[in-house]
Amino acid sequence: MDKKNVVSAPKETIAKLKVSAKKKEATRGKLAVKAKTLRLKAEKLATTAKKKEGVRGRLVVTAEKLATTAKEKETVRGNLAVAAKKLALVAKEKEIVRSKLAVTAETLRLKAKQLAVTAKEKESIKNKLEVTAKQLALVAKEKESVRSKLAVTAETLRLKAKQLAVTAKEKEVVRSKLEVTAKKLAVVAKEVELANKELRELDLAKDEFVSIASHQLRTPLTALKGYTGMLLDEDAGPINDKQREYLKEIKNANDRMIDLITALLNVSRVDLGVFVVEPESVDLKKVAESVLSELEMKIKEKGLKMSTSFEKNIPLVKADLKITRMIFQNLLTNAVKYTPARGSVSLNIKKDGSAILISVSDTGYGIPEDAQSKIFTKMFRADNARLKDPSGTGLGLYIVKATVEQTGGKIWFKSKENKGSTFYFTIPLSGMKKKEGSRRLE
Amino acid sequence: MAGKEKLWIQYKKKVLIIEDEVAILNGISDKFTHDGFLTLKATDGQTGLDKALKEHPDFILVDNLMPNTDGFYFLENLRKDKWGKNAKVIMWSNSHDSRTIARAKKIGIQDFMIKSEWEYRDVVKKVKEALGMKTGA
């Protein structure tokens, strides 16, 4: 310490130093206490250490004991592991035994079921056997019955065999007779064949005769037609009205006779079946128009209203042109002839299914109901038609029907007296059937 | 006058008619004469052939069925002749038989006519048409 400072130190500082000394004294006191406390603690710790030493000693003993125990435990553990292994093996064996037992149990269960089924089956078989036994008993009875019958049959057969032996002899006789008959029949067949041939020849001869006869009949009529025509043409000089009237009557009668001969010739050919059908491609519209142009004068004379209806795309059809024309001519001529002045006639051609349908309608005299069933009959003429026009032959519709039907078509009509008639006929789209023959229709 | 007639005759067309039925032969012949033709007549095929080859008619009308030598005899022999092979012929007959018609057409004819279906004036008209003459109808 600096004296100067000490000398010169203020009172405050001395005070401070006094306070500090007091604090130091206090601290010293505290430290003494603490030292005491620590001494005490040290003593306690020494005591504790002594105690710990005692405890450690005991612990060592205990540890040694524990070590001994551990060794013993290890030995026991080893023994236990061995025992556990043994137990595991025993457990496995037990598991195997258990499985075997389970299988055995299942097998036993199945066997039990089978036994149950077998028992039922046995029952059923027993029943069946009983039934079979009954049936066998019945069969045995039947066999017995059959055996008896067979015995009877055998006897019968023996008798029949005897009879057959007799019959065989008779058959031999019959066979001989049949052979004779067969020979006779062969002769008869030849005779029939010859007769048929002769009949065919006879038919042809008949047709030939009719052809020649009609030719011969037509020859003088042709002369008559020619001369009458020349007289009417006034080639031999002027004629007066009366002469013209008479000559016209002669001409009409002559034409009627020519028509009749032609019709009879056609009837003969239809009836004898000797007419030819030669189908060729025919345009029905053209045929109709050609026939109508021939009738144009008569249609005009009577002031008839003529209408036609031709369906579009009517195909060409395989038909015999002459026969087709004859059918159109006949039906249209009839319609014009038997329709009063200023009436109507119409012609319609259309496709109808597998055929072409041609219809000719008129508003004419019609066919009386009682005459309708006979209208296609040879030489038949309805009374009203006969009155209106005595010149008809009564053969036209007969020939038309025969030719339509013999060429694969159909013909029919609807008519009401004084109202008119409609005649229908068809030509198959597949065409008329070709027919061999010796003559054409005229 | 006789000279004029002769000259006129030279211009007339000549028709040979072969027909066994005399009534018809005379009738049709008269019709042709009336209509300005010269006519030659024969009653069978051979006579007709002789006249045809000698006279060379402009047109021949021949019947089919005739005694001795028929229309086919005439036609077949006519076609063998140099002139006759092109001669104009109509066969007319009262036969409608298709085979007869086909046979005649095969040998060569202008037409086949059914006698009973034709008036004489129409036969003449047909011949005139075939000869390229005015028919007046």
Side-chain angles (χ1 to χ4, degrees):
Chain A
M1 190 137 333
D2 194 351
K3 280 179 180 176
K4 259 184 177 182
N5 284 345
V6 173
V7 169
S8 67
K11 289 173 183 173
E12 284 170 12
T13 304
I14 295 160
K16 277 179 185 179
L17 283 168
K18 281 176 182 172
V19 169
S20 182
K22 278 178 183 177
K23 278 181 181 178
K24 275 179 181 178
E25 192 62 32
T27 303
R28 198 174 290 123
K30 282 176 185 176
L31 282 170
V33 171
K34 273 186 182 177
K36 249 184 193 176
T37 311
L38 283 169
R39 231 171 358 257
L40 288 167
K41 276 183 181 179
E43 283 168 2
K44 278 180 184 174
L45 281 170
T47 309
T48 307
K50 278 179 183 173
K51 284 177 184 173
K52 275 184 178 177
E53 195 57 32
V55 168
R56 191 179 298 126
R58 286 194 297 270
L59 280 172
V60 168
V61 173
T62 309
E64 281 169 358
K65 284 178 183 172
L66 281 170
T68 309
T69 309
K71 276 181 184 174
E72 285 168 3
K73 276 184 179 173
E74 192 60 31
T75 307
V76 170
R77 195 179 293 125
N79 293 339
L80 282 169
V82 172
K85 277 180 185 174
K86 283 178 182 172
L87 282 168
L89 283 170
V90 171
K92 272 185 185 174
E93 281 169 7
K94 275 186 178 174
E95 189 58 33
I96 289 164
V97 171
R98 193 179 294 123
S99 302
K100 284 178 182 172
L101 282 169
V103 170
T104 310
E106 187 58 35
T107 312
L108 285 168
R109 219 174 7 255
L110 288 170
K111 278 187 178 170
K113 274 186 183 174
Q114 282 172 356
L115 281 168
V117 171
T118 311
K120 278 184 184 173
E121 281 173 356
K122 275 184 179 174
E123 188 60 32
S124 163
I125 288 167
K126 193 195 287 164
N127 291 336
K128 282 178 186 170
L129 282 169
E130 279 171 8
V131 171
T132 310
K134 283 179 186 172
Q135 284 172 346
L136 282 169
L138 284 172
V139 169
K141 276 186 184 174
E142 279 171 14
K143 270 187 180 174
E144 189 54 38
S145 161
V146 169
R147 196 175 291 123
S148 310
K149 283 177 186 169
L150 281 171
V152 174
T153 311
E155 187 56 33
T156 313
L157 284 170
R158 251 193 315 277
L159 289 170
K160 277 190 180 169
K162 278 184 185 173
Q163 284 171 357
L164 279 171
V166 176
T167 312
K169 279 181 186 172
E170 285 171 357
K171 270 189 181 171
E172 192 57 38
V173 175
V174 171
R175 193 178 295 122
S176 307
K177 283 180 184 172
L178 278 172
E179 272 172 17
V180 173
T181 312
K183 279 178 189 169
K184 281 181 186 170
L185 278 172
V187 173
V188 172
K190 272 187 186 173
E191 282 171 0
V192 167
E193 197 180 315
L194 276 173
N196 276 334
K197 199 180 167 191
E198 278 171 13
L199 279 172
R200 277 197 299 276
E201 281 168 5
L202 202 61
D203 280 349
L204 291 175
K206 267 188 208 167
D207 181 61
E208 192 64 29
F209 169 75
V210 174
S211 297
I212 292 168
S214 68
H215 179 269
Q216 295 301 329
L217 284 168
R218 267 192 290 220
T219 299
L221 297 175
T222 306
L224 205 55
K225 184 183 179 83
Y227 284 105
T228 315
M230 284 199 291
L231 286 173
L232 282 166
D233 288 347
E234 298 187 325
D235 287 4
I239 51 170
N240 63 38
D241 290 347
K242 206 67 187 170
Q243 286 168 333
R244 182 171 297 279
E245 185 193 326
Y246 289 174
L247 284 168
K248 277 187 175 175
E249 286 297 334
I250 294 169
K251 181 185 179 307
N252 288 340
N254 191 60
D255 284 347
R256 204 175 133 195
M257 185 67 90
I258 291 169
D259 287 347
L260 190 60
I261 290 165
T262 304
L264 282 169
L265 185 64
N266 283 337
V267 166
S268 159
R269 287 176 182 171
V270 165
D271 286 352
L272 291 172
V274 294
F275 74 97
V276 184
V277 181
E278 286 174 340
E280 57 183 298
S281 285
V282 170
D283 184 338
L284 295 177
K285 190 181 168 200
K286 277 188 185 170
V287 173
E289 285 170 346
S290 156
V291 172
L292 284 173
S293 76
E294 281 177 6
L295 291 167
E296 202 178 339
M297 196 172 279
K298 279 180 188 167
I299 292 168
K300 274 186 184 170
E301 272 173 18
K302 293 182 85 172
L304 299 176
K305 189 189 164 198
M306 182 72 222
S307 62
T308 55
S309 158
F310 306 117
E311 193 179 78
K312 277 182 184 174
N313 304 324
I314 294 281
L316 293 180
V317 64
K318 292 277 179 194
D320 186 297
L321 181 59
K322 190 144 192 168
I323 290 174
T324 308
R325 202 170 193 290
M326 188 188 73
I327 298 165
F328 272 91
Q329 204 169 27
N330 206 292
L331 297 180
L332 284 165
T333 305
N334 280 352
V336 169
K337 198 194 281 185
Y338 299 118
T339 299
R342 289 173 297 282
S344 302
V345 173
S346 65
L347 170 70
N348 184 294
I349 303 180
K350 62 176 184 176
K351 270 204 278 186
D352 184 41
S354 59
I356 296 175
L357 175 68
I358 301 108
S359 58
V360 178
S361 299
D362 64 58
T363 56
Y365 308 122
I367 305 162
E369 211 173 321
D370 61 343
Q372 290 192 1
S373 62
K374 301 173 210 157
I375 204 70
F376 290 117
T377 311
K378 212 188 301 185
M379 304 296 263
F380 176 81
R381 295 196 71 212
D383 290 341
N384 59 345
R386 200 186 294 272
L387 279 173
K388 299 291 179 189
D389 181 6
S391 68
T393 63
L395 294 170
L397 285 176
Y398 172 77
I399 295 166
V400 165
K401 186 173 194 290
T403 48
V404 166
E405 289 177 351
Q406 288 188 41
T407 53
K410 287 176 188 166
I411 184 164
W412 68 99
F413 68 93
K414 286 176 190 166
S415 184
K416 199 162 188 183
E417 196 171 3
N418 298 320
K419 293 281 180 192
S421 306
T422 302
F423 277 82
Y424 304 88
F425 76 96
T426 64
I427 299 173
L429 275 173
S430 55
M432 286 183 172
K433 287 180 199 162
K434 186 179 168 68
K435 185 175 174 293
E436 302 288 342
S438 58
R439 299 284 182 180
R440 289 189 72 89
L441 294 179
E442 296 184 1
Chain B
M1 195 66 183
K4 272 187 181 178
E5 180 67 20
K6 199 176 176 183
L7 190 65
W8 174 236
I9 286 169
Q10 284 178 347
Y11 285 99
K12 283 186 173 181
K13 296 283 183 188
K14 213 186 288 177
V15 177
L16 168 62
I17 303 158
I18 309 167
E19 165 68 61
D20 65 318
E21 188 69 29
V22 178
I24 294 174
L25 178 65
N26 290 337
I28 192 74
S29 173
D30 281 0
K31 187 68 185 176
F32 273 104
T33 307
H34 181 268
D35 279 37
F37 286 84
L38 277 177
T39 57
L40 301 165
K41 296 191 264 186
T43 54
D44 63 49
Q46 185 60 57
T47 318
L49 187 66
D50 294 343
K51 287 198 177 177
L53 298 181
K54 187 182 171 195
E55 301 283 344
H56 291 187
D58 297 288
F59 211 95
I60 301 163
L61 194 65
V62 61
D63 185 18
N64 171 26
L65 291 171
M66 290 181 291
N68 302 323
T69 46
D70 65 6
F72 281 106
Y73 171 86
F74 167 80
L75 199 56
E76 280 162 357
N77 285 289
L78 178 76
R79 294 306 184 208
K80 288 175 189 168
D81 181 73
K82 192 180 173 185
W83 168 84
K85 70 179 177 188
N86 293 315
K88 290 180 175 172
V89 179
I90 280 180
M91 182 172 270
W92 76 325
S93 170
N94 266 328
S95 165
H96 293 62
D97 186 67
S98 57
R99 283 174 299 187
T100 305
I101 298 169
R103 185 181 166 198
K105 285 188 174 171
K106 196 176 175 188
I107 298 170
I109 51 168
Q110 264 56 47
D111 212 335
F112 191 102
M113 298 171 84
I114 311 292
K115 279 186 209 170
S116 59
E117 290 178 2
W118 294 81
E119 297 285 352
Y120 286 174
R121 62 172 168 276
D122 295 321
V123 178
V124 174
K125 195 176 162 190
K126 193 103 179 165
V127 170
K128 280 183 174 176
E129 280 170 356
L131 289 171
M133 297 165 73
K134 284 182 184 175
T135 59

